[in-house]
Amino acid sequence: MIVDLVQTVADFSAQAVVNAILEKTFPGDPIVGEEDSADLRSPSAEDLRKHLTSLANDALHLPVREGEGVLAEDPSWGIGPSSPARSTDELLSIIDRGSYAGGSTGRMWALDPIDGTKGFLRGGQYAVCLALIVDSVVQVGVMGCPNLPVSGANPDGEKGCIFVAVRGQGAEQASFSPSITSSHPVLTVFKL
């Protein structure tokens, strides 16, 4: 039961954070996600809602890393330390933005908030996966792998990679680590 709770809170929180960023960046784009808030809205899920609200707001309030290829903090995005806290109802609505059924035409995002649940629960490998799909063709793919070594040659070294692939432009790997020394986590939002 505890394992299911951790997995569920993590999935919902990750989807809430990604959907919140997509909502501000691409407000008209539908999202095909894994989660919806129906179970969270039941009276018996009050503790789960509290955990979700806390974790999602913690992530949305992380400092935004600035640097080359990274978007600067902007209060209108609703992320970063100066952003207002989201209510539980706001976060549930944001999660439900991921309820688009998909289709063969149009522009949409596909999100797997935690791919590799067993790895996540063990503190091992997992990924947050996001794709921009236009008319059934993936145009952009992004995978965030928090526990993956930056260098295969140094598996015990720095961990945390993001992979970005853009159709016709190739793919890149970047480190999660901030360019400035910090003992606190940061949120990195890359330009596409």
Side-chain angles (χ1 to χ4, degrees):
M1 181 65 175
I2 295 293
V3 168
D4 290 339
L5 176 64
V6 170
Q7 171 190 348
T8 301
V9 169
D11 274 328
F12 280 117
S13 298
Q15 183 160 321
V17 169
V18 174
N19 285 3
I21 294 169
L22 288 175
E23 178 181 56
K24 289 292 184 179
T25 313
F26 305 104
D29 287 4
I31 304 166
V32 179
E34 283 195 337
E35 311 300 339
D36 69 53
S37 70
D39 290 338
L40 289 172
R41 293 181 187 273
S42 75
S44 64
E46 183 177 353
D47 286 343
L48 189 58
R49 287 192 303 271
K50 286 179 183 176
H51 288 297
L52 160 74
T53 302
S54 176
L55 283 175
N57 275 309
D58 285 351
L60 289 166
H61 285 91
L62 289 172
V64 178
R65 181 175 104 178
E66 296 185 25
E68 185 178 340
V70 178
L71 296 174
E73 189 167 325
D74 179 341
S76 70
W77 277 50
I79 59 174
S82 61
S83 66
R86 306 284 179 113
S87 71
T88 299
D89 286 339
E90 286 176 295
L91 291 168
L92 295 178
S93 294
I94 289 168
I95 288 168
D96 287 339
R97 281 210 63 226
S99 62
Y100 183 65
S104 60
T105 60
R107 176 184 162 113
M108 69 199 82
W109 294 88
L111 170 65
D112 186 344
I114 296 184
D115 185 17
T117 302
K118 287 182 183 177
F120 172 79
L121 293 172
R122 290 189 314 259
Q125 297 303 324
Y126 70 97
V128 176
C129 304
L130 180 66
L132 171 62
I133 303 167
V134 179
D135 296 331
S136 299
V137 178
V138 175
Q139 299 297 321
V140 176
V142 181
M143 285 180 40
C145 306
N147 293 333
L148 188 67
V150 172
S151 170
N154 186 9
D156 295 324
E158 178 184 356
K159 295 195 178 1
C161 299
I162 188 165
F163 299 90
V164 179
V166 179
R167 177 167 294 287
Q169 297 181 32
E172 291 187 21
Q173 173 187 340
S175 168
F176 274 2
S177 293
S179 56
I180 57 173
T181 304
S182 171
S183 61
H184 303 288
V186 295
L187 180 64
T188 304
V189 183
F190 289 88
K191 293 179 184 176
L192 296 179

